[in-house]
Amino acid sequence: MSWIPTHRISVLYMLASLWMVSCTERNDIELDSTYRRLVVQGAVTSDSVQHRVLLTTSSEYFANIPSPRVSGASVELSFNDQNLTLAENPFFPGLYETPEAFRGVPGTTYKLDIGQVDVDQDGQFEEYHAESTMPGGAELDEVALRYFSTPIIKGYQVLMWASHPVEQKDRFGFRIRKNGILLTESLSSYTVLTDDLFNSGYLPGFPVGFLSDDDPQQRAYPGDTVTFELESIDQAYYDFVTDAQLEIVGNIPLFSGPSANISSNISNGGMGIFAAYSILRASTILEP
């Protein structure tokens, strides 16, 4: 680190003070409230479940209300030689579901097509498209808990043993459940990373989470079952999560560049993400 001489610090401080004083003029900014965009949240996983897609629209910046749901849309999911029409849930407008449960297969490309929506309310229907190829190839051997204690934090580290093809560029997502309850439900607590840290192809005892003794929801007791979920995700989903988490934290330092739109794989100016990802699970019981 290079040090700035004391006299230069004084000059910089004086200039910064003058700049802040000169920036006290009020500026009224008019925000365009007429430009709405479709927001898509959907996924196909390797679990055998009914898969869902939620459609909403963007709302005004200062609107203190939930995002409006998009009802009456045409939503279709296609893969291989199959075409599924997703029906809107009669009790949850804007939520579209596959007609039956099915299990996604790694290596398969899933395509989502949305129509019969007029988000910008110009009297013309718009069409949106997204697709994602489900990654696979990773193997999850086991998960274990190791107590970790310092004067600052105490709790159990969650460690995993896993492997993946060396020649394959992998991206992963981590989720942790305790006694069936998801502890990493929020986007800010969802961990994603690439395999740049472990190009050897094997992860022996890699730390993937922490159960803090100071958090009543996380704290583990003897007899508790901890389940770790290893998700193999594609590049688009990885970029979406990392961009969103950066916006949640905010730009640091103060004079960094302006915020940018969160990346999306939805066509026609749509926002959000449609992802296909595989899930591997391993559990352990905390011994007395």
Side-chain angles (χ1 to χ4, degrees):
M1 177 183 293
S2 59
W3 296 96
I4 303 176
T6 305
H7 67 279
R8 290 191 63 190
I9 294 177
S10 301
V11 173
L12 290 173
Y13 178 79
M14 179 178 67
L15 291 175
S17 300
L18 290 173
W19 180 84
M20 286 186 288
V21 171
S22 66
C23 290
T24 57
E25 181 180 353
R26 175 174 175 171
N27 289 302
D28 294 324
I29 301 175
E30 293 186 8
L31 299 178
D32 185 359
S33 62
T34 62
Y35 182 51
R36 299 201 307 169
R37 297 166 70 179
L38 181 69
V39 181
V40 179
Q41 301 176 56
V44 173
T45 75
S46 57
D47 282 349
S48 181
V49 296
Q50 271 189 298
H51 294 86
R52 298 184 172 100
V53 174
L54 177 64
L55 302 182
T56 60
T57 66
S58 57
S59 56
E60 296 183 26
Y61 185 81
F62 293 108
N64 191 24
I65 58 174
S67 298
R69 302 287 186 96
V70 176
S71 185
S74 168
V75 182
E76 292 189 353
L77 180 67
S78 60
F79 54 97
N80 297 332
D81 295 328
Q82 298 189 53
N83 292 280
L84 299 177
T85 298
L86 277 65
E88 186 171 9
N89 189 304
F91 303 104
F92 298 95
L95 183 65
Y96 299 82
E97 302 171 313
T98 58
E100 58 187 17
F102 72 91
R103 187 187 303 276
V105 179
T108 303
T109 298
Y110 296 88
K111 300 178 181 180
L112 180 70
D113 289 286
I114 301 168
Q116 299 293 313
V117 293
D118 183 16
V119 175
D120 57 12
Q121 299 179 338
D122 64 351
Q124 300 292 325
F125 285 138
E126 304 123 27
E127 294 183 350
Y128 300 86
H129 175 80
E131 59 183 70
S132 177
T133 301
M134 182 180 294
E139 296 289 342
L140 180 59
D141 294 336
E142 65 173 306
V143 62
L145 301 176
R146 178 185 300 164
Y147 196 72
F148 182 83
S149 177
T150 72
I152 301 176
I153 58 172
K154 296 180 180 179
Y156 284 92
Q157 273 189 322
V158 183
L159 308 174
M160 77 164 178
W161 281 255
S163 61
H164 70 101
V166 178
E167 69 280 0
Q168 184 172 303
K169 179 67 175 179
D170 288 320
R171 301 156 196 86
F172 301 110
F174 301 156
R175 297 188 193 274
I176 297 174
R177 298 178 185 270
K178 190 187 77 171
N179 298 329
I181 299 175
L182 183 62
L183 301 181
T184 51
E185 185 174 6
S186 66
L187 185 62
S188 58
S189 62
Y190 179 57
T191 301
V192 296
L193 79 165
T194 67
D195 62 0
D196 294 337
L197 296 177
F198 35 83
N199 283 327
S200 64
Y202 190 66
L203 294 74
F206 187 81
V208 293
F210 188 76
L211 305 179
S212 174
D213 285 352
D214 295 328
D215 189 324
Q217 185 181 25
Q218 294 183 6
R219 185 167 185 172
Y221 296 92
D224 284 346
T225 298
V226 176
T227 301
F228 170 68
E229 299 180 358
L230 175 64
E231 299 176 350
S232 294
I233 63 178
D234 67 2
Q235 184 68 51
Y237 191 27
Y238 174 84
D239 291 340
F240 171 81
V241 173
T242 53
D243 286 355
Q245 290 178 340
L246 180 62
E247 290 303 308
I248 292 173
V249 173
N251 286 324
I252 300 173
L254 175 64
F255 300 107
S256 59
S259 298
N261 289 333
I262 298 172
S263 59
S264 171
N265 64 349
I266 312 299
S267 70
N268 199 19
M271 303 171 65
I273 193 71
F274 170 70
Y277 56 89
S278 56
I279 306 174
L280 299 173
R281 294 182 177 87
S283 299
T284 185
I285 299 177
L286 182 60
E287 299 295 335

